[in-house]
Amino acid sequence: LIDALKIIKQKYSDVRLLMVINMPIERFHDPERYEIDMELIIDVKTKIKEYGLDDNVIPIGITNNLEEIIAAGDLFLIPFLEITGVADYPLSLLEAMAIGKTIIATKVGGIPEILITGTNGVLIEPNDAIALAESSINLLESKEKAKRLGENASTTISENFRGDIVLKQLEEIYKEVTVNDSNY
């Protein structure tokens, strides 16, 4: 992400990255005091400084107003290298799609199951800073395309992830499991 921002800044010097990190912001600002994620934080901070991005990156730690932060941006970038944990679809992705944000994400986990390049977002390979930068610049320059992708993302959520739809899918799974379980 930071490598991509360096490229984007060449075209848009006033670009701002609201970088939401999954930790208290104190850890980002004072990584020496914390052992968890220290190496990654130091690497990110070093790149920010080395690339002259101090004024372009606004780190945000764990927050209660993520929806406001998502809504504030022109693009929502999800450059994950992998997805771990119980959720194959990052909640932040679903939230951004629901409010119609234009999304660029990496092809990891279940993201390619719901995000389709050119339809409701843009998918790129993990760890491809050039593709992330080029896709970002393209969408910043193509406001109409970005708007259409965001609208389609919102439609994807309303057609596939509404509570009543998910409940029906879960009921079907439980019925199938119950039927299969009774065969043993």
Side-chain angles (χ1 to χ4, degrees):
L1 181 58
I2 302 302
D3 291 335
L5 187 63
K6 177 184 174 188
I7 297 167
I8 296 167
K9 185 180 176 183
Q10 293 171 5
K11 183 141 183 125
Y12 295 100
S13 60
D14 62 344
V15 67
R16 295 289 182 271
L17 170 66
L18 303 177
M19 186 174 66
V20 179
I21 51 179
N22 191 21
M23 65 181 69
I25 198 64
E26 300 82 33
R27 288 187 182 185
F28 184 81
H29 290 302
D30 192 9
E32 287 77 22
R33 288 185 47 206
Y34 303 94
E35 292 182 29
I36 301 173
D37 300 312
M38 191 168 92
E39 188 176 320
L40 176 63
I41 294 169
I42 291 171
D43 183 46
V44 168
K45 288 181 76 167
T46 300
K47 278 189 174 186
I48 290 170
K49 185 169 226 47
E50 179 183 318
Y51 295 167
L53 298 171
D54 292 310
D55 294 334
N56 303 91
V57 178
I58 302 166
I60 300 169
I62 295 172
T63 179
N64 292 328
N65 64 337
L66 186 58
E67 64 281 347
E68 293 172 22
I69 294 166
I70 292 171
D74 294 320
L75 302 174
F76 191 75
L77 309 177
I78 306 178
F80 294 162
L81 298 177
E82 62 183 27
I83 293 191
T84 57
V86 297
D88 214 21
Y89 307 134
L91 183 57
S92 60
L93 169 67
L94 300 175
E95 291 171 333
M97 290 177 76
I99 65 168
K101 276 294 144 187
T102 306
I103 298 167
I104 302 170
T106 47
K107 299 176 185 176
V108 296
I111 294 174
E113 295 173 16
I114 58 173
L115 200 68
I116 302 164
T117 295
T119 300
N120 60 2
V122 175
L123 284 171
I124 61 169
E125 294 297 327
N127 214 17
D128 189 343
I130 293 171
L132 181 57
E134 289 174 350
S135 296
S136 298
I137 291 168
N138 177 279
L139 290 171
L140 290 170
E141 292 175 348
S142 306
K143 299 281 187 207
E144 200 56 41
K145 179 180 180 182
K147 181 181 176 187
R148 180 179 48 79
L149 293 175
E151 289 169 352
N152 291 345
S154 180
T155 300
T156 298
I157 296 300
S158 67
E159 290 177 353
N160 299 291
F161 290 92
R162 282 192 338 259
D164 60 322
I165 293 171
V166 172
L167 180 61
K168 187 175 182 175
Q169 291 171 340
L170 285 173
E171 286 174 345
E172 291 300 319
I173 291 169
Y174 287 134
K175 285 178 187 175
E176 185 178 319
V177 169
T178 305
V179 168
N180 287 339
D181 192 38
S182 66
N183 293 331
Y184 291 105

